[in-house]
Amino acid sequence: MLLGTTASYGVLAGSTVTNTNDTVINGDLGLYPGTSVTGFPPGIVNGVTRVAPNAAAAQAKSDLVVAYDDAAGRGPGTVLASSEIGGLTLAPGVYTARRSSNSPGRSHSTARTTPTPSSSSESPRP
């Protein structure tokens, strides 16, 4: 699955980004077309923050929609036994959880892994 310019982003959103903890984002933070980013600090972005109006954020958001549509069209992929993904190491691929995926601990992906629509806790489409 091609992620285009989204590959460098740790967080990429459309309307707002709100942080309420001591979060560390290892990658870029992007927001388009929204403009409201709050909670940094105390949160830390180990990358570039790009907020609308920003051409790079706009392109990444467009690429995100393309990648999402690609993932959604691939079917359920590997169905996870639980929506709790904390502590798991996931190989590259498409994963489906029966409910929203939660990560109370740390999880690790060995490569880029894109959730299918049923495993996203966000709205149905980016």
Side-chain angles (χ1 to χ4, degrees), residues 17-78:
V17 175
T18 303
N19 175 58
T20 59
N21 294 310
D22 294 330
T23 302
V24 176
I25 298 172
N26 289 315
D28 298 338
L29 183 152
L31 179 60
Y32 188 90
T35 59
S36 177
V37 176
T38 60
F40 296 91
I44 298 169
V45 178
N46 289 326
V48 178
T49 298
R50 297 180 177 101
V51 178
N54 181 282
Q59 184 61 54
K61 187 64 178 12
S62 176
D63 290 351
L64 174 64
V65 171
V66 171
Y68 179 91
D69 289 345
D70 180 21
R74 291 179 181 230
T78 302

